[in-house]
Amino acid sequence: GRRRMVRRLWQLGLGFMALRAALQLGCWLPPSVDPYLIATSNLLLGVGMFGLLVLILRAARGRQAEARIFALGFGTFGALVLYELFDLDRSLGLPADLYPWGMLVFLFSVGVILERRFRQDAEQLAAQRDKLLEYSRTLEQKVAERTADLDAKNCELEQVNRDLEELVAARTAQLVTQEKTAIIGRMIQGIAHN
């Protein structure tokens, strides 16, 4: 839609500027054609800049402060570029070369936006770090509790194991005694029988 049209206007304007620069550097451009090429490239850039300004101002109507800051910076820059492109300084009687001031305002607005984003990111990182530290503390506590539970269960299992070993030892001794008694009884029976 509109964004594609603005992009194409910018591409055409920059193409005309590049063509003009190449022809001027190569001395292939006759002086009579130069003003028309300059006017065409300036017109395309001006229309593209105006389109961008409209799109940015439309986006800045939202509630995002960063969009409004960007619109203010780019709007100032764009207005001063249009002022320079169309030589409005001559017709309005204002000073020339205001374009650098527009660039300064635009760069300042980008700096403010970046500073806000960096501050927000730093705050988010601090919050995440605090969450991670809290999770680490609770994890250490949970590990200590779980280790204590496992140690208690291990002690219980060791006691059960000792009890079972004692039971097995007693039962084995009892079975051995019974078996010995049975063998002795058979021997005596065998001797008595003979």
Side-chain angles (χ1 to χ4, degrees):
R2 292 182 182 161
R3 290 182 179 153
R4 178 179 279 165
M5 182 179 67
V6 169
R7 188 179 322 127
R8 294 292 178 233
L9 286 172
W10 270 92
Q11 289 170 348
L12 282 172
L14 292 174
F16 269 106
M17 288 178 70
L19 176 65
R20 185 182 82 199
L23 291 176
Q24 281 180 337
L25 288 175
C27 298
W28 298 314
L29 187 64
S32 60
V33 177
D34 189 40
Y36 297 113
L37 197 55
I38 290 173
T40 304
S41 65
N42 286 350
L43 179 66
L44 288 172
L45 284 174
V47 171
M49 180 65 78
F50 184 75
L52 279 175
L53 287 173
V54 168
L55 289 175
I56 289 171
L57 291 174
R58 181 178 286 167
R61 283 189 296 177
R63 296 180 182 200
Q64 291 185 344
E66 292 173 355
R68 290 192 300 259
I69 292 170
F70 184 80
L72 171 71
F74 192 78
T76 304
F77 170 66
L80 293 176
V81 165
L82 291 174
Y83 172 81
E84 295 274 337
L85 280 177
F86 296 111
D87 290 330
L88 296 177
D89 54 341
R90 291 185 194 145
S91 61
L92 297 175
L94 297 172
D97 297 330
L98 292 178
Y99 160 76
W101 292 104
M103 179 62 77
L104 182 67
V105 169
F106 175 65
L107 291 176
F108 180 74
S109 67
V110 170
V112 168
I113 291 169
L114 289 175
E115 186 274 330
R116 289 172 59 115
R117 291 271 174 102
F118 287 149
R119 189 171 9 97
Q120 287 172 355
D121 289 345
E123 289 169 359
Q124 287 176 352
L125 283 173
Q128 292 296 329
R129 186 189 67 233
D130 292 344
K131 282 182 183 179
L132 189 59
L133 288 173
E134 181 61 30
Y135 180 73
S136 176
R137 279 188 224 112
T138 58
L139 183 62
E140 288 174 4
Q141 181 182 359
K142 287 178 183 178
V143 166
E145 290 172 1
R146 185 71 177 141
T147 302
D149 289 345
L150 288 175
D151 286 343
K153 287 181 182 180
N154 194 24
C155 287
E156 289 176 18
L157 288 174
E158 286 175 355
Q159 183 60 41
V160 168
N161 190 29
R162 280 192 297 273
D163 292 345
L164 283 175
E165 285 176 353
E166 290 174 7
L167 181 66
V168 167
R171 187 69 180 143
T172 303
Q174 185 182 14
L175 286 173
V176 168
T177 304
Q178 286 176 355
E179 198 59 36
K180 284 181 183 177
T181 305
I183 290 173
I184 292 175
R186 278 183 274 171
M187 284 175 55
I188 292 176
Q189 196 178 25
I191 292 175
H193 188 46
N194 285 339

